[in-house]
Amino acid sequence: MAKRRGLVLAAGAVALLGGVGALGALAVWGLVALVAPGPVEVRPAGGTGAERPAFARPAEAGDEAWVAEAARATGMPERALAAYADADRWARRELGCAVGWNTLAGIGWVESHHGTLQGGAIDADGVARPHIRGIPLDGTNETLAIPDTDGGALDGDTEWDRAVGPLQFIPETWRIWASAGADPHNIDDAARTAARYLCRLDGTLDTEEAWIRAVRSYNDTLDYQQRVAAAASRYADAA
């Protein structure tokens, strides 16, 4: 697999706008097998696994002891968990939207294993290194054909768009939903942007219908919905 200024993911790594997330695509099409670290087994929970997972208790701001204990219990990197918890608090406060840190964590797991794919990691400053960039979205490998929208500024490709960052945004979606100056490779910025995107349809995710609609807007496949629901449920139970 070729590398270009960071990790290159195979199989349609497009997040949002009806696209297909990195690992969601792998699960559907089976083009590449990646080994997932950590103790969380991602499989349908309770029948189809399509139901909205239970909301985990919101973390209190600055509760570093909770972050450390929950990270240990879930096998999630502390830096990623802190970002998901912060984004959940922010969405509740600023948007009035109950998105759930465990929902964001479920998406982070499916999209990039919380920035740890192929030996990567999220550093103390919140940036995933090496940067995670998907394959060209050129209509091959069962991807959408999305010509370049950012001049290569985010994804390093001036011909085709690529999904970027631990939560796998395509550049045009990032431009629409991210705050000014935000970095898609920064887990804090990516988690808040994902929360804003997920909340846009119903204003909250606290019903099963709203949760499913939101997650399916991130990646419109039942397999993806089940994987996110299963991971989010297990994170809530573990924490």
PDB file of all heavy atoms in Angstrom, residues 70-83:
ATOM      1  N   ALA A  70     -11.751   5.567  32.864  1.00  0.00           N
ATOM      2  CA  ALA A  70     -12.567   5.120  31.735  1.00  0.00           C
ATOM      3  C   ALA A  70     -11.694   4.645  30.585  1.00  0.00           C
ATOM      4  O   ALA A  70     -12.036   3.677  29.895  1.00  0.00           O
ATOM      5  CB  ALA A  70     -13.491   6.246  31.279  1.00  0.00           C
ATOM      6  N   ALA A  71     -10.569   5.307  30.373  1.00  0.00           N
ATOM      7  CA  ALA A  71      -9.655   4.871  29.319  1.00  0.00           C
ATOM      8  C   ALA A  71      -9.099   3.490  29.637  1.00  0.00           C
ATOM      9  O   ALA A  71      -8.989   2.629  28.756  1.00  0.00           O
ATOM     10  CB  ALA A  71      -8.524   5.882  29.155  1.00  0.00           C
ATOM     11  N   ARG A  72      -8.757   3.274  30.894  1.00  0.00           N
ATOM     12  CA  ARG A  72      -8.243   1.962  31.284  1.00  0.00           C
ATOM     13  C   ARG A  72      -9.315   0.886  31.087  1.00  0.00           C
ATOM     14  O   ARG A  72      -9.044  -0.208  30.575  1.00  0.00           O
ATOM     15  CB  ARG A  72      -7.815   1.986  32.755  1.00  0.00           C
ATOM     16  CG  ARG A  72      -7.198   0.670  33.232  1.00  0.00           C
ATOM     17  CD  ARG A  72      -7.224   0.562  34.740  1.00  0.00           C
ATOM     18  NE  ARG A  72      -8.582   0.557  35.256  1.00  0.00           N
ATOM     19  CZ  ARG A  72      -9.404  -0.491  35.187  1.00  0.00           C
ATOM     20  NH1 ARG A  72      -9.003  -1.618  34.619  1.00  0.00           N
ATOM     21  NH2 ARG A  72     -10.626  -0.414  35.672  1.00  0.00           N
ATOM     22  N   ALA A  73     -10.548   1.205  31.464  1.00  0.00           N
ATOM     23  CA  ALA A  73     -11.622   0.222  31.386  1.00  0.00           C
ATOM     24  C   ALA A  73     -12.019  -0.101  29.949  1.00  0.00           C
ATOM     25  O   ALA A  73     -12.407  -1.236  29.645  1.00  0.00           O
ATOM     26  CB  ALA A  73     -12.845   0.734  32.155  1.00  0.00           C
ATOM     27  N   THR A  74     -11.932   0.875  29.074  1.00  0.00           N
ATOM     28  CA  THR A  74     -12.375   0.686  27.687  1.00  0.00           C
ATOM     29  C   THR A  74     -11.248   0.319  26.735  1.00  0.00           C
ATOM     30  O   THR A  74     -11.501  -0.136  25.618  1.00  0.00           O
ATOM     31  CB  THR A  74     -13.033   1.963  27.146  1.00  0.00           C
ATOM     32  OG1 THR A  74     -12.077   3.042  27.172  1.00  0.00           O
ATOM     33  CG2 THR A  74     -14.257   2.355  27.974  1.00  0.00           C
ATOM     34  N   GLY A  75      -9.998   0.542  27.151  1.00  0.00           N
ATOM     35  CA  GLY A  75      -8.875   0.316  26.254  1.00  0.00           C
ATOM     36  C   GLY A  75      -8.686   1.437  25.254  1.00  0.00           C
ATOM     37  O   GLY A  75      -7.932   1.285  24.286  1.00  0.00           O
ATOM     38  N   MET A  76      -9.343   2.570  25.482  1.00  0.00           N
ATOM     39  CA  MET A  76      -9.262   3.703  24.577  1.00  0.00           C
ATOM     40  C   MET A  76      -8.104   4.624  24.993  1.00  0.00           C
ATOM     41  O   MET A  76      -7.857   4.806  26.186  1.00  0.00           O
ATOM     42  CB  MET A  76     -10.581   4.492  24.649  1.00  0.00           C
ATOM     43  CG  MET A  76     -10.840   5.441  23.490  1.00  0.00           C
ATOM     44  SD  MET A  76     -12.358   6.429  23.759  1.00  0.00           S
ATOM     45  CE  MET A  76     -13.508   5.179  24.340  1.00  0.00           C
ATOM     46  N   PRO A  77      -7.389   5.219  24.036  1.00  0.00           N
ATOM     47  CA  PRO A  77      -6.359   6.186  24.417  1.00  0.00           C
ATOM     48  C   PRO A  77      -6.968   7.349  25.202  1.00  0.00           C
ATOM     49  O   PRO A  77      -8.027   7.871  24.832  1.00  0.00           O
ATOM     50  CB  PRO A  77      -5.818   6.661  23.061  1.00  0.00           C
ATOM     51  CG  PRO A  77      -6.130   5.560  22.105  1.00  0.00           C
ATOM     52  CD  PRO A  77      -7.434   4.984  22.568  1.00  0.00           C
ATOM     53  N   GLU A  78      -6.314   7.744  26.280  1.00  0.00           N
ATOM     54  CA  GLU A  78      -6.839   8.816  27.120  1.00  0.00           C
ATOM     55  C   GLU A  78      -7.071  10.095  26.329  1.00  0.00           C
ATOM     56  O   GLU A  78      -8.071  10.792  26.532  1.00  0.00           O
ATOM     57  CB  GLU A  78      -5.881   9.108  28.279  1.00  0.00           C
ATOM     58  CG  GLU A  78      -5.913   8.067  29.379  1.00  0.00           C
ATOM     59  CD  GLU A  78      -5.124   8.507  30.596  1.00  0.00           C
ATOM     60  OE1 GLU A  78      -5.008   9.745  30.830  1.00  0.00           O
ATOM     61  OE2 GLU A  78      -4.619   7.627  31.316  1.00  0.00           O
ATOM     62  N   ARG A  79      -6.127  10.406  25.439  1.00  0.00           N
ATOM     63  CA  ARG A  79      -6.247  11.673  24.708  1.00  0.00           C
ATOM     64  C   ARG A  79      -7.475  11.687  23.817  1.00  0.00           C
ATOM     65  O   ARG A  79      -8.146  12.721  23.671  1.00  0.00           O
ATOM     66  CB  ARG A  79      -4.977  11.914  23.873  1.00  0.00           C
ATOM     67  CG  ARG A  79      -4.892  13.312  23.278  1.00  0.00           C
ATOM     68  CD  ARG A  79      -4.844  14.363  24.382  1.00  0.00           C
ATOM     69  NE  ARG A  79      -4.852  15.709  23.834  1.00  0.00           N
ATOM     70  CZ  ARG A  79      -5.952  16.348  23.404  1.00  0.00           C
ATOM     71  NH1 ARG A  79      -7.121  15.730  23.457  1.00  0.00           N
ATOM     72  NH2 ARG A  79      -5.880  17.568  22.938  1.00  0.00           N
ATOM     73  N   ALA A  80      -7.803  10.551  23.205  1.00  0.00           N
ATOM     74  CA  ALA A  80      -8.996  10.468  22.368  1.00  0.00           C
ATOM     75  C   ALA A  80     -10.256  10.553  23.220  1.00  0.00           C
ATOM     76  O   ALA A  80     -11.197  11.288  22.891  1.00  0.00           O
ATOM     77  CB  ALA A  80      -8.979   9.180  21.563  1.00  0.00           C
ATOM     78  N   LEU A  81     -10.292   9.819  24.327  1.00  0.00           N
ATOM     79  CA  LEU A  81     -11.462   9.833  25.191  1.00  0.00           C
ATOM     80  C   LEU A  81     -11.722  11.242  25.727  1.00  0.00           C
ATOM     81  O   LEU A  81     -12.875  11.688  25.781  1.00  0.00           O
ATOM     82  CB  LEU A  81     -11.267   8.858  26.343  1.00  0.00           C
ATOM     83  CG  LEU A  81     -12.375   8.825  27.401  1.00  0.00           C
ATOM     84  CD1 LEU A  81     -13.736   8.578  26.776  1.00  0.00           C
ATOM     85  CD2 LEU A  81     -12.061   7.772  28.459  1.00  0.00           C
ATOM     86  N   ALA A  82     -10.679  11.941  26.123  1.00  0.00           N
ATOM     87  CA  ALA A  82     -10.847  13.311  26.619  1.00  0.00           C
ATOM     88  C   ALA A  82     -11.483  14.198  25.555  1.00  0.00           C
ATOM     89  O   ALA A  82     -12.332  15.043  25.853  1.00  0.00           O
ATOM     90  CB  ALA A  82      -9.500  13.879  27.050  1.00  0.00           C
ATOM     91  N   ALA A  83     -11.107  14.004  24.296  1.00  0.00           N
ATOM     92  CA  ALA A  83     -11.675  14.808  23.210  1.00  0.00           C
ATOM     93  C   ALA A  83     -13.144  14.479  22.991  1.00  0.00           C
ATOM     94  O   ALA A  83     -13.964  15.382  22.781  1.00  0.00           O
ATOM     95  CB  ALA A  83     -10.885  14.574  21.927  1.00  0.00           C
TER      96      ALA A  83
END
